[in-house]
């Protein structure tokens, strides 16, 4: 089995703050793995470093057998390594459909983008019903679904979701986790960042606990 993501001794410092102090973790192809931890543990920093947003000061990151340490975010998107950031960050003034289309900016084939959007609508009928509605007018849960749906348009091989359940009511959390399960069933490898260990471990096969920049 190939390894989708291999993080070895990764360190990240923001000035004097050592946010990650040599962490190692692994996601096998097709696996869903959860990264758990309290506020400030370094979860977002981990995904930021993997996706080229934060700079690794030490260690190594590889994906599907290739070294991607400190690769550029757009290069990673082309390799199918997709990061859905914390806090949804959809485009509030654009419609649902337009938000999804933006997820396909690295995909040159318009037919492929259209068929992936159709797949997302099949999976998420609430978005289909609201395709012409402005993103900012969706409920929090719908916005989270849209953010994940947008990530799916890029055709992810490895999808990294940063706290998708944050601020959502329990029923909505369950629906987000159901979506993660469906994405995983399609063969996508998933790194699921969560504070909500109970729901994350229902969909993940394994989990790592991060505490003050170290795997506990
Ligand atoms: P949360 O669940 O609250 O989002 P987290 O586990 O994702 O927390 P990080 O956001 O990775 O934690 O932060 C880890 C540490 O790095 C914290 O101490 C934080 O203050 C610090 N940090 C994060 N980003 C920066 C930055 N841009 N500049 C300085 N320090 C930062």
């Amino acid at each position: 089995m190939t390894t989708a993501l291999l993080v070895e001794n990764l360190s990240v410092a923001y000035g004097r703050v050592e946010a990650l102090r040599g962490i190692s973790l692994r996601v096998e192809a097709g696996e869903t793995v959860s990264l758990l931890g309290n506020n400030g543990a370094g979860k977002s920093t981990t995904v930021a470093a993997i996706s080229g947003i934060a700079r690794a000061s030490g260690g190594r990151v590889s994906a599907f057998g290739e070294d991607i340490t400190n690769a550029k975010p757009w290069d990673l998107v082309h390799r199918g390594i997709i990061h859905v950031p914390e806090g949804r960050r959809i485009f509030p003034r654009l419609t649902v459909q337009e938000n999804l289309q933006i997820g396909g900016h690295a995909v040159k084939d318009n037919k492929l983008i259209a068929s992936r959007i159709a797949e997302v609508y099949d999976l998420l009928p609430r978005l289909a019903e609201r395709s012409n509605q402005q993103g900012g007018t969706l409920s929090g849960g719908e916005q989270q679904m849209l953010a994940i749906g947008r990530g799916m348009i890029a055709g992810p091989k490895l999808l990294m979701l940063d706290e998708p359940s944050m601020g959502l009511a329990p029923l909505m959390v369950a629906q987000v986790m159901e979506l993660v399960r469906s994405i995983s069933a399609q063969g996508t490898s998933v790194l699921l960042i969560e504070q909500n260990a109970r729901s994350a471990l229902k969909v993940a096969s394994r989990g790592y606990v991060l505490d003050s920049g170290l795997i506990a």
Side-chain angles (χ1 to χ4, degrees):
M1 200 194 261
T2 25
T3 300
L5 176 70
L6 185 63
V7 173
E8 297 166 288
N9 273 315
L10 179 66
S11 302
V12 175
Y14 299 108
R16 285 201 191 147
V17 179
E18 286 190 315
L20 292 182
R21 299 184 284 159
I23 68 154
S24 299
L25 59 89
R26 183 168 52 79
V27 180
E28 298 298 348
E31 195 181 25
T32 295
V33 169
S34 184
L35 183 62
L36 307 165
N38 289 329
N39 290 113
K43 303 181 299 297
S44 296
T45 299
T46 304
V47 234
I50 297 167
S51 60
I53 298 166
R55 199 176 161 73
S57 52
R60 188 169 184 273
V61 182
S62 44
F64 304 99
E66 289 183 57
D67 189 345
I68 57 157
T69 318
N70 290 324
K72 300 289 177 221
W74 53 88
D75 176 37
L76 296 171
V77 170
H78 283 284
R79 290 169 189 257
I81 298 160
I82 305 299
H83 173 187
V84 178
E86 189 175 8
R88 295 147 207 170
R89 309 235 198 112
I90 56 145
F91 296 96
R93 298 292 181 90
L94 300 184
T95 65
V96 166
Q97 176 80 15
E98 289 163 341
N99 268 280
L100 291 175
Q101 273 159 348
I102 284 175
H105 73 277
V107 183
K108 295 285 166 269
D109 180 345
N110 285 331
K111 272 195 187 153
L112 184 58
I113 295 172
S115 78
R116 285 183 182 160
I117 291 178
E119 278 170 32
V120 167
Y121 283 155
D122 272 349
L123 208 56
L124 299 167
R126 288 166 80 106
L127 291 187
E129 286 160 19
R130 292 163 176 78
S131 64
N132 292 317
Q133 195 172 318
Q134 282 190 343
T137 65
L138 298 177
S139 75
E142 289 161 359
Q143 289 188 26
Q144 184 60 65
M145 299 293 192
L146 177 57
I148 299 173
R150 185 178 59 188
M152 291 168 68
I153 308 299
K157 287 162 68 188
L158 172 68
L159 187 64
M160 299 186 288
L161 303 173
D162 195 350
E163 293 201 45
S165 78
M166 190 172 58
L168 301 183
L171 187 63
M172 219 51 228
V173 173
Q175 288 179 18
V176 167
M177 294 303 152
E178 204 41 58
L179 176 60
V180 174
R181 213 188 290 274
S182 314
I183 293 170
S184 167
Q186 293 174 354
T188 305
S189 311
V190 180
L191 181 63
L192 176 61
I193 311 301
E194 271 297 337
Q195 279 195 51
N196 190 338
R198 194 180 293 271
S199 46
L201 291 173
K202 276 188 196 153
V203 289
S205 52
R206 294 185 298 118
Y208 295 86
V209 178
L210 200 52
D211 183 17
S212 306
L214 290 170
I215 297 289

